[in-house]
Amino acid sequence: MRVPRVLRQLKHSSHRKPLLGELIVKLLFVVCCGLITVLLIIHKYENFNNFKRTLYYRLAEDGEGFYAMPRNVAGEKIDWHNYELIEEESKRTGPGEHGRPYKLSSEQDIALNAKLFKENGYSAVVSDMIALNRSVPDIRHPSCRMKEYLKELPTVSVIIIFYNEHWSALLRTVYSVLNRSPPALLKEIILVNDHSTKPFLWTPLREFVESELAPKVRLVDLPERSGLIVARMAGAREARGDVLIVLDSHTEVNTNWLPPLLEPIAEDYRTCVCPFIDVIAHDTFQYRSQDEGKRGAFDWKFYYKRLPLLPGDLDDPTKPFNSPVMAGGLFAISAKFFWELGGYDEGLDIWGGEQYELSFKIWQCGGRLVDAPCSRVGHVYRGYAPFGNPRGVNFVVRNFKRVAEVWMDEYSQFLYERNPQFAKTDPGDLSAQRELRERLQCKPFKWFLEVVAPDLLVRYPPRDPQPFASGRVQSVANPRLCLDSLNHQAKEPIGLYACAFNKTHPQNNQFFTLSYHRDIRVRSNDKCLDAAKLNDEIVLFSCHESQGNQMWRYDYESKMIIHGKDHHGRCMEADLHTNKLFVRSCDKDKASQKWNWGYVNFVHLQNWDVYGAKFL
């Protein structure tokens, strides 16, 4: 029996070498094919991470993703309101409930609040006094309360970036999303810690999330301070929902906020949707409306601006309307479309310009950007900017130049003319972004201006038209004193100070212009003189080009600066005892209401009714 077995083994061994050789050849062939495939992937997708993201969404489409099969074929709609929660919240009482203002009374609380205000830019002690799950007023248009939305809506990942946020403000944001979102739609909340320096935002927050908020809430800690843009990209890579929703870390979502954001995306995944942004007062946490809608835009210093609604935009007050540019902090976009667009340009640093880059990409590359009136989110607008520059260089100008060079074509020159810093700024390597634009066959910026924002060039001319007057503004009552911004910022008063020597081109804090927009602005920044009513002190406020509180006219014969419409009879008046400025009833006999401008364009002032921005 042994001999035949040996013979059989010898017989089989004679065939092994050819089989082994074939296996080696086949293995080498597979390896070569793999290398060629990797090279082709890198060539097409620019890097392997982009390929993995694209592969993920292709697999999602073939599997359980929202867009894997036809949805809402019958167009069935349902009422998504949570009436049990609405009833429960209507009965709540306590500090700040229903969005009411809360004011501190204890001297100890006031002193602590002043300290924390410097860290946060809002009243942290007031925030601590208010419940994390407080109620807010339903200030939607009444028609929104009867609105139904598609039955089949995509799931969402809510991404919240935070850096040194106050504990209660951050968690109130989280609880408002958890409480007011349909559980079936809310896949997850992803908190991205941009390497905060406050100890309670590390181990204590992680323990709280894991014990109280998991599994719906996840926490991602970045290893170093990376800035808003990189942090959002990190959150987006972690997301598993069909739709990405970005919120700031000091917000509160309102009643039935989610379905109005999702329905336009369910109908067309290339639609990006923004909520109406309400105001949460930084000092009292009062919740109130900002307005009933305007379209986002920009001027040629790249300040965010707003355009009036177009005819028909509010024929149906519940219907989303087109908006050229998002405000930046709050929006919803399908994950599929976000990655098709390459996400954010990761060459943008910290913050600044990201809302323009994404908005231009959406419109120019086949998408649509809308505001949804029935989705409302409150936002704390800080009264003070507590965070310094982590880079020590002007990263915002660099970001702006990257956006302009890639997306704005020949119109970028108008930005550069306004700011000499652009000429000195290197935007870095733009090849990947330009290849992306070419690959997606995106439209030119001229198309964006003509089709998406046809009134932008009229409202914000690329080159500033000549002003009505400019230079220093000298008091006739005391010629040694002139208007001065006092280097103040928004919501702070202007005053009087010793006049600069140069009448037409004084230093920045005394260089004012009575502009084409019929406002008086500090030349060095986007701040305008503002007064709400008679006898109010005049303050600085962000220029809105909507006239109203910021409308001024110079009567060169009487030398009076008139506030608002002529028939209101209000004029700028100096209080020479306090060096403050007020709006008082016009009196031609008062020297304290008379002013000399460094330069006056008499022709334009004589043609006040026909020159300048259209009267609103």
Side-chain angles (χ1 to χ4, degrees):
M1 295 297 292
R2 291 181 181 177
V3 173
R5 183 180 298 173
V6 171
L7 289 173
R8 285 197 300 271
Q9 289 174 347
L10 289 171
K11 185 177 178 180
H12 286 302
S13 66
S14 65
H15 296 290
R16 285 181 181 172
K17 287 187 178 178
L19 286 173
L20 184 61
E22 287 178 16
L23 286 173
I24 291 172
V25 170
K26 289 178 180 178
L27 183 61
L28 288 172
F29 177 78
V30 171
V31 170
C32 289
C33 289
L35 288 172
I36 292 171
T37 302
V38 170
L39 290 173
L40 289 172
I41 288 169
I42 292 172
H43 176 72
K44 181 174 181 179
Y45 295 96
E46 299 162 6
N47 59 59
F48 202 71
N49 282 334
N50 284 344
F51 169 72
K52 287 192 292 184
R53 290 195 292 267
T54 304
L55 180 62
Y56 170 82
Y57 287 107
R58 285 180 179 171
L59 290 172
E61 288 175 10
D62 295 335
E64 300 178 355
F66 183 80
Y67 304 102
M69 62 183 70
R71 302 281 184 177
N72 299 297
V73 176
E76 183 181 355
K77 297 196 174 189
I78 63 172
D79 185 350
W80 282 92
H81 284 89
N82 183 342
Y83 290 105
E84 184 179 343
L85 177 65
I86 292 171
E87 175 67 19
E88 178 188 323
E89 289 191 338
S90 70
K91 299 175 182 177
R92 292 183 64 98
T93 60
E97 292 296 340
H98 310 289
R100 296 191 183 101
Y102 183 78
K103 295 184 178 180
L104 301 173
S105 55
S106 159
E107 290 186 7
Q108 184 178 357
D109 288 342
I110 292 172
L112 177 60
N113 194 59
K115 175 180 179 292
L116 292 178
F117 182 81
K118 295 176 181 178
E119 297 179 13
N120 299 284
Y122 53 75
S123 296
V125 176
V126 171
S127 178
D128 291 342
M129 297 289 186
I130 297 171
L132 297 179
N133 62 340
R134 75 149 169 185
S135 55
V136 294
D138 183 355
I139 55 177
R140 298 173 297 165
H141 190 280
S143 299
C144 294
R145 300 170 191 175
M146 299 176 284
K147 183 80 172 174
E148 294 184 339
Y149 296 94
L150 289 171
K151 183 178 181 179
E152 293 183 285
L153 293 175
T155 61
V156 303
S157 294
V158 176
I159 301 168
I160 300 170
I161 313 303
F162 66 92
Y163 173 75
N164 281 355
E165 195 66 72
H166 192 64
W167 177 274
S168 59
L170 174 62
L171 290 181
R172 189 173 297 109
T173 302
V174 173
Y175 275 108
S176 77
V177 174
L178 287 172
N179 293 341
R180 299 193 182 104
S181 304
L185 300 180
L186 182 61
K187 186 89 169 180
E188 61 192 347
I189 300 174
I190 300 173
L191 298 177
V192 182
N193 182 359
D194 190 17
H195 209 72
S196 299
T197 60
K198 294 181 177 179
F200 61 76
L201 293 174
W202 289 90
T203 300
L205 179 61
R206 178 164 293 280
E207 291 175 350
F208 185 87
V209 167
E210 290 175 352
S211 64
E212 303 295 329
L213 303 175
K216 210 74 161 176
V217 182
R218 292 193 288 138
L219 184 59
V220 176
D221 294 322
L222 298 187
E224 61 181 1
R225 177 82 192 278
S226 303
L228 180 71
I229 298 159
V230 171
R232 283 184 181 173
M233 289 290 281
R237 290 191 181 99
E238 290 282 333
R240 298 173 296 192
D242 300 303
V243 170
L244 310 176
I245 295 183
V246 173
L247 295 179
D248 280 350
S249 53
H250 35 266
T251 56
E252 293 175 66
V253 304
N254 211 311
T255 303
N256 207 42
W257 75 291
L258 199 48
L261 286 182
L262 297 181
E263 183 172 85
I265 299 173
E267 294 171 333
D268 181 354
Y269 83 94
R270 289 186 174 90
T271 300
C272 177
V273 190
C274 299
F276 271 26
I277 304 176
D278 296 323
V279 176
I280 300 175
H282 66 82
D283 51 350
T284 65
F285 274 66
Q286 179 184 19
Y287 189 112
R288 61 176 177 81
S289 66
Q290 181 170 206
D291 55 42
E292 291 311 306
K294 290 187 178 181
R295 295 151 52 237
F298 62 91
D299 67 10
W300 298 95
K301 292 181 181 178
F302 249 179
Y303 288 123
Y304 177 75
K305 297 292 183 179
R306 306 182 82 200
L307 295 168
L309 296 178
L310 295 173
D313 278 343
L314 282 182
D315 287 349
D316 179 353
T318 70
K319 184 179 179 181
F321 54 82
N322 290 347
S323 183
V325 173
M326 66 172 68
L330 316 173
F331 65 91
I333 188 171
S334 71
K336 178 180 178 181
F337 190 39
F338 182 74
W339 292 121
E340 281 182 6
L341 294 173
Y344 284 114
D345 169 12
E346 292 190 82
L348 301 176
D349 193 22
I350 304 296
W351 60 265
E354 74 282 352
Q355 77 272 40
Y356 300 130
E357 192 242 356
L358 188 55
S359 299
F360 296 160
K361 279 201 293 195
I362 288 168
W363 280 112
Q364 292 173 245
C365 304
R368 180 181 177 225
L369 177 62
V370 300
D371 283 3
C374 291
S375 177
R376 307 193 74 126
V377 179
H379 178 268
V380 178
Y381 289 90
R382 298 184 196 268
Y384 165 77
F387 308 129
N389 184 338
R391 293 287 187 261
V393 296
N394 194 337
F395 54 84
V396 175
V397 170
R398 182 180 180 276
N399 288 355
F400 284 173
K401 191 166 184 177
R402 287 186 68 86
V403 175
E405 286 289 308
V406 174
W407 298 103
M408 297 181 70
D409 304 329
E410 68 272 21
Y411 289 89
S412 61
Q413 66 176 312
F414 299 119
L415 283 179
Y416 303 161
E417 289 176 5
R418 303 293 182 100
N419 187 346
Q421 288 298 316
F422 279 110
K424 307 172 186 176
T425 300
D426 178 7
D429 183 9
L430 300 171
S431 56
Q433 294 303 306
R434 286 173 170 153
E435 287 170 13
L436 173 75
R437 179 174 174 175
E438 183 178 352
R439 174 160 51 84
L440 296 177
Q441 298 183 332
C442 304
K443 294 181 176 70
F445 196 69
K446 184 178 182 182
W447 172 89
F448 172 86
L449 291 173
E450 290 176 348
V451 176
V452 180
D455 50 341
L456 188 145
L457 294 180
V458 176
R459 191 71 179 268
Y460 304 107
R463 292 190 174 98
D464 274 339
Q466 291 183 333
F468 292 98
S470 63
R472 74 182 193 185
V473 186
Q474 180 188 43
S475 170
V476 170
N478 185 346
R480 293 177 299 175
L481 298 177
C482 288
L483 292 192
D484 198 296
S485 71
L486 307 175
N487 294 320
H488 283 173
Q489 299 301 313
K491 301 180 183 179
E492 295 181 321
I494 63 165
L496 295 171
Y497 202 76
C499 288
F501 176 76
N502 193 320
K503 295 180 181 180
T504 58
H505 291 79
Q507 64 260 29
N508 286 338
N509 52 316
Q510 289 193 7
F511 200 159
F512 294 87
T513 60
L514 177 53
S515 82
Y516 173 89
H517 297 289
R518 307 182 191 279
D519 51 32
I520 296 177
R521 56 184 61 199
V522 183
R523 186 180 174 91
S524 60
N525 59 33
D526 191 45
K527 301 296 180 287
C528 284
L529 273 58
D530 192 295
K533 61 184 184 299
L534 190 67
N535 297 320
D536 272 5
E537 185 175 5
I538 298 171
V539 298
L540 293 170
F541 210 85
S542 295
C543 300
H544 52 57
E545 288 89 22
S546 297
Q547 297 171 24
N549 295 348
Q550 294 182 3
M551 183 177 177
W552 302 88
R553 181 172 74 83
Y554 183 56
D555 183 337
Y556 60 85
E557 292 180 341
S558 67
K559 299 189 175 184
M560 303 173 82
I561 297 177
I562 301 162
H563 180 245
K565 300 290 178 68
D566 286 353
H567 66 270
H568 291 158
R570 300 194 296 253
C571 289
M572 180 187 295
E573 181 175 322
D575 184 331
L576 298 177
H577 299 292
T578 62
N579 287 347
K580 294 182 178 181
L581 293 150
F582 296 87
V583 169
R584 307 287 195 201
S585 296
C586 295
D587 185 344
K588 292 185 178 181
D589 294 328
K590 279 189 173 182
S592 56
Q593 291 187 7
K594 297 181 185 295
W595 307 90
N596 286 317
W597 282 85
Y599 164 78
V600 176
N601 191 317
F602 293 101
V603 173
H604 290 338
L605 284 173
Q606 289 165 1
N607 290 280
W608 174 260
D609 292 334
V610 295
Y611 181 79
K614 180 181 177 181
F615 288 103
L616 302 178

